């Protein structure tokens, strides 16, 4: 039998410190970090709060101790000590779609680079109440600012009406250079796509649009119409879609039956994929008989057959601008108005001159050539 002192020291199971609650199971403290780095508790706190009064050599020593010990700062303690959470909230919807998911990723990456956590609330379906609930949830987490990336028309109107004590930045459904708003110029992107087709000799370009309650779908439709208006031409037929390949396929069946249609601008690449399938099934060759342009430049777009000409959006820049606007507002700087980001046209194998086969076929996976507007 072991002496009672040994049993008490090792715990009931005989292991050092017991299986629960022993020193080995506790996270290292700030005091332990300070001891390892040979500095004071206050110096460790200054390093964690990015204070400018710490020498670089000391800061690196503290960071090395943090890394070595695996120290993780308690969120509640940080908030209590500094009244700063270093957390940005984000509300988005339809994360299964390419655009919303890329915007969310871009904001998270930009926040990480600036030393901020991004608390994300995703809405499977949009409703004004769901948006309000999401904002309330983030406010309860003591976020310092909120980024709203919901492109529904009602969401844009509601976001502008929010009465919060923290900055709110919009990054979708943005119509121009507005305070605390960053966006990509959707109408300019559509204009690039349709001008490309009109320059190739096509007339009356058809359009497969996104859902009417999405601001960005309306903006892309507006760019399609404006490209024709600038030349004094009438646009081709417009067919409703819902961003899905299935809706592009349904529209493609109607387009394939119309011999007068020689070019189509699809509101996104997913609908363009369905459109390509319908045209192929009906014997309409792409691009010899019908040229097709999409929007988004999905990672798969270069692997469509033929490789898809499309419009690319710089989501990384959008994330950086959104974070920058939030941080400027937190520093009480004047609310800047930021120009919309210009998209680019990527030309691949799905477009050619009207009535003429493409100069060279584009193999799946072959990159396209960006074209300026």
């Amino acid at each position: 039998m072991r002496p009672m002192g040994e049993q008490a020291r090792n715990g009931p199971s005989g292991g050092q410190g017991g299986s629960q609650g022993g020193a080995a199971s506790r996270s290292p403290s700030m005091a332990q970090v300070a001891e390892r780095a040979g500095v004071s508790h206050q110096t460790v706190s200054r390093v964690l709060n990015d204070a400018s009064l710490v020498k670089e050599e000391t800061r690196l020593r503290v960071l090395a101790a943090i890394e070595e010990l695996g120290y993780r700062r308690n969120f509640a303690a940080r908030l209590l000590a500094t009244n700063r959470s270093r957390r940005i909230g984000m509300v988005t919807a339809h994360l299964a779609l390419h655009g919303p998911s890329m915007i969310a990723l871009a904001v998270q990456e930009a926040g990480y680079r600036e030393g901020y956590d991004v608390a994300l609330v995703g809405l499977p379906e949009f409703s004004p109440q769901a948006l309000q609930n999401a904002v309330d949830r983030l406010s309860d987490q003591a976020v310092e600012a909120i980024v709203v990336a919901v492109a529904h028309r009602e969401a844009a109107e509601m976001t502008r009406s929010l009465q919060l004590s923290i900055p709110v930045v919009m990054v979708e459904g943005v119509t121009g250079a507005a305070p605390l708003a960053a966006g990509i110029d959707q109408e300019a992107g559509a204009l690039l796509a349709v001008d490309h087709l009109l320059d190739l000799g096509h007339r009356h370009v058809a359009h497969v649009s996104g859902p009417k309650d999405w601001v960005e779908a309306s903006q892309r439709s507006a760019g399609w119409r404006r490209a024709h208006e600038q030349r004094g031409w009438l646009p081709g037929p417009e067919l409703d879609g819902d961003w899905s390949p299935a809706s592009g396929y349904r529209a493609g069946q109607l387009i394939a039956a119309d011999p007068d249609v020689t070019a189509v601008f699809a509101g996104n690449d997913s609908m363009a994929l369905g459109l390509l399938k319908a045209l192929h099934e009906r014997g309409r060759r792409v691009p010899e008989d019908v040229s097709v342009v999409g929007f988004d430049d999905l990672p798969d777009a270069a692997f469509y057959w033929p490789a898809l000409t499309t419009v690319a959006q710089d989501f990384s820049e959008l994330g950086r601008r959104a974070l920058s606007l939030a941080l400027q507002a937190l520093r009480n700087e004047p609310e800047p108005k930021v120009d919309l980001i210009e998209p680019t046209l990527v030309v691949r194998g799905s477009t050619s001159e009207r009535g003429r086969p493409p100069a060279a076929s584009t193999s799946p996976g072959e990159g396209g050539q960006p074209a300026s507007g």
Side-chain angles (χ1 to χ4, degrees):
M1 177 179 293
R2 289 178 297 177
M4 183 175 295
E6 183 180 346
Q7 182 176 358
R9 187 167 56 248
N10 291 336
S13 63
Q16 293 295 321
S19 60
Q20 299 283 342
S25 66
R26 291 197 299 268
S27 298
S29 67
M30 190 183 296
Q32 289 174 302
V33 173
E35 182 180 1
R36 179 64 59 90
V39 299
S40 68
H41 179 283
Q42 290 83 354
T43 298
V44 175
S45 179
R46 292 189 189 103
V47 171
L48 291 169
N49 293 317
D50 293 328
S52 59
L53 302 176
V54 182
K55 293 180 180 179
E56 182 65 13
E57 178 184 350
T58 303
R59 188 181 71 85
L60 293 175
R61 196 163 70 246
V62 171
L63 292 176
I66 289 171
E67 178 72 19
E68 183 179 349
L69 294 175
Y71 174 76
R72 294 178 62 84
R73 187 167 189 189
N74 180 273
F75 172 77
R78 177 175 65 188
L79 183 60
L80 184 64
T82 67
N83 201 32
R84 293 285 305 277
S85 67
R86 297 196 71 82
R87 175 175 288 182
I88 301 294
M90 183 172 185
V91 184
T92 187
H94 306 291
L95 282 168
L97 296 175
H98 178 72
S101 65
M102 292 301 296
I103 292 171
L105 178 62
V107 172
Q108 288 175 314
E109 289 179 345
Y112 177 79
R113 286 193 295 270
E114 295 291 339
Y116 278 79
D117 295 327
V118 176
L120 178 67
V121 177
L123 308 178
E125 295 293 336
F126 168 76
S127 71
Q129 188 58 54
L131 177 58
Q132 183 63 62
N133 292 343
V135 169
D136 292 343
R137 284 176 58 188
L138 291 171
S139 297
D140 289 343
Q141 296 181 46
V143 297
E144 297 183 23
I146 294 177
V147 176
V148 178
V150 184
H152 290 263
R153 198 174 307 280
E154 282 185 277
E157 295 168 357
M158 181 179 170
T159 300
R160 296 187 193 99
S161 68
L162 287 172
Q163 299 296 320
L164 297 176
S165 60
I166 58 175
V168 178
V169 178
M170 291 179 57
V171 296
E172 276 196 285
V174 176
T175 56
L180 291 184
I184 296 171
D185 196 332
Q186 306 295 318
E187 186 169 340
L191 195 63
L192 281 175
V194 181
D195 274 342
H196 170 66
L197 293 168
L198 298 178
D199 289 344
L200 290 172
H202 299 280
R203 299 292 185 270
H204 316 304
V205 174
H207 178 43
V208 183
S209 70
K212 297 300 184 185
D213 58 346
W214 284 61
V215 176
E216 294 178 348
S218 298
Q219 291 170 337
R220 294 174 195 179
S221 293
W224 163 71
R225 286 190 296 272
R226 184 153 69 95
H228 289 86
E229 290 168 359
Q230 288 177 346
R231 304 185 190 218
W233 297 342
L234 291 174
E238 181 175 14
L239 298 98
D240 294 339
D242 60 11
W243 301 133
S244 71
S247 68
Y249 178 78
R250 291 190 295 271
Q253 289 178 313
L254 298 174
I255 289 170
D258 186 348
D260 293 332
V261 174
T262 63
V264 186
F265 166 49
N268 75 344
D269 290 351
S270 293
M271 293 191 296
L273 177 61
L275 174 66
L276 290 173
K277 175 176 172 62
L279 292 172
H280 173 74
E281 289 181 352
R282 295 298 183 92
R284 301 292 301 276
R285 299 170 300 167
V286 178
E288 292 87 349
D289 302 324
V290 182
S291 287
V292 176
V293 179
F295 204 108
D296 278 340
D297 195 24
L298 292 176
D300 297 340
F303 295 87
Y304 289 5
W305 185 255
L308 185 65
T309 296
T310 186
V311 176
Q313 306 181 76
D314 191 343
F315 293 114
S316 294
E317 175 62 18
L318 181 59
R320 286 191 292 269
R321 291 192 186 188
L323 240 294
S324 177
L325 286 170
L327 298 184
Q328 285 175 284
L330 289 171
R331 293 191 294 264
N332 293 318
E333 296 177 7
E335 292 187 355
K337 294 183 179 180
V338 181
D339 291 337
L340 296 177
I341 299 169
E342 291 292 327
T344 56
L345 180 69
V346 181
V347 178
R348 297 193 180 98
S350 65
T351 54
S352 69
E353 289 188 47
R354 182 184 182 189
R356 182 181 300 179
S361 61
T362 307
S363 301
E366 200 171 307
Q369 295 295 322
S372 65

